[in-house]
Amino acid sequence: MKLSDIILEDDFYGKFKSEALELTNEMKDTYNRDDIEVSITQHSNGEKGIGEVKIRDNESIRPSEYQNMKNFLETKGFEITGGANFYEEEEDRRIYPNIKFQFDI
């Protein structure tokens, strides 16, 4: 198998594309925000799904809203594994508020 086959393999990177889009839309509707993006991939060991909610806002969001988003994800069955509620701009990149999560496949 070539490296390009692994990188482009639909089962690894595209497996949760529809779930990520569905969760993105649900969170946008729930929180009345258009700046939410969700990405979900499969961990390389194949046993866990890992994801990230990114809020593309140029400042941190209200702490209560951030906590509410984490609670929302937990009610969906996701385990929160990290994240940070801050915005930072460096020379060549921007760090947005985010929530990282995982789940069993």
Side-chain angles (χ1 to χ4, degrees), residues 45-58:
N45 70 10
E47 297 174 6
K48 297 261 184 198
I50 52 177
E52 178 181 25
V53 176
K54 191 175 288 185
I55 302 101
R56 294 195 178 272
D57 196 333
N58 291 349

Side-chain angles (χ1 to χ4, degrees), residues 43-79:
H43 192 279
S44 60
N45 70 10
E47 297 174 6
K48 297 261 184 198
I50 52 177
E52 178 181 25
V53 176
K54 191 175 288 185
I55 302 101
R56 294 195 178 272
D57 196 333
N58 291 349
E59 56 188 59
S60 43
I61 60 176
R62 289 187 330 271
S64 60
E65 184 177 23
Y66 183 76
Q67 183 61 47
N68 197 356
M69 287 180 180
K70 289 168 59 174
N71 294 342
F72 175 83
L73 292 168
E74 287 177 334
T75 64
K76 295 286 186 184
F78 300 117
E79 176 189 347

